[in-house]
Amino acid sequence: LTLTFREPTVHRVPSTNMFVQIRAGMRTTLANRQIVLVIVFQVIVTVVTYVMAFFRPAFIADLVQDDYLLMGFGYAAFACIAALAGHSMRRILERLGESGALVLTYFLVFAPFGLVYLLSIGVFEPATALAVGLVTQASFYVFLGVEVPVVTTILNRRIPSSERATVLAIASFFST
């Protein structure tokens, strides 16, 4: 199957040196306010994602109660949710547009954030906690499936192909 993929013919001009290339990428990034805003958005969402990861283990441990097979099936199911969401990315962009897709991504990560914290400190009754936890995790995995393709698509539409790799590397650098 991999032998059927053909690399598109693109005229590539090697940069004279790495610093020239980075400077050109930074210039392109800073010249377009939308690119900067998308990168800032990605940084904020990444920070929230990492913080959320601290609260999630307590919820997962209570849910599976040392049944690692159940934990594996749970993570596999959530990974399938992320894959389905990522597969729907094109339709999401067509229906909501770029701004709408970013707003959706924002709500998918920030809305469950507070609930996951409340779950981790035991505010909810066990049955309610299970339902709320499953909804927040499903939302989080939909976010994981949609966020990177949406952000990358938005950036790709605004960056000339000659500077795309450098600008995407800059965005990746700031969001990790």
Side-chain angles (χ1 to χ4, degrees), residues 71-148:
M71 182 184 292
F73 281 126
Y75 279 118
F78 287 129
C80 289
I81 289 171
L84 289 171
H87 184 66
S88 304
M89 192 268 313
R90 181 178 52 83
R91 286 186 301 234
I92 291 169
L93 280 171
E94 286 173 356
R95 288 192 180 147
L96 301 178
E98 292 175 350
S99 297
L102 286 174
V103 169
L104 173 68
T105 304
Y106 176 85
F107 282 117
L108 285 171
V109 76
F110 284 97
F113 180 69
L115 291 174
V116 168
Y117 172 73
L118 294 175
L119 283 168
S120 72
I121 62 172
V123 170
F124 297 102
E125 295 295 322
T128 305
L130 177 62
V132 170
L134 290 174
V135 168
T136 59
Q137 290 306 295
S139 171
F140 183 71
Y141 278 87
V142 168
F143 157 76
L144 287 177
V146 170
E147 187 256 344
V148 171

Side-chain angles (χ1 to χ4, degrees), residues 155-176:
L155 291 175
N156 282 340
R157 290 178 177 174
R158 287 168 173 71
I159 304 167
S161 62
S162 62
E163 298 171 13
R164 190 169 293 145
T166 306
V167 175
L168 289 174
I170 291 168
S172 177
F173 173 79
F174 283 113
S175 64
T176 54

Side-chain angles (χ1 to χ4, degrees), residues 21-81:
Q21 185 176 357
I22 291 172
R23 189 174 31 239
M26 288 297 287
R27 206 171 315 139
T28 299
T29 301
L30 295 174
N32 189 328
R33 188 177 63 147
Q34 291 173 330
I35 293 173
V36 172
L37 289 175
V38 168
I39 292 172
V40 168
F41 172 81
Q42 196 173 21
V43 168
I44 291 169
V45 164
T46 300
V47 168
V48 169
T49 302
Y50 286 136
V51 171
M52 197 168 173
F54 287 115
F55 300 121
R56 194 168 19 154
F59 161 70
I60 297 295
D62 287 344
L63 179 66
V64 299
Q65 298 182 2
D66 294 330
D67 184 349
Y68 295 111
L69 184 61
L70 178 61
M71 182 184 292
F73 281 126
Y75 279 118
F78 287 129
C80 289
I81 289 171

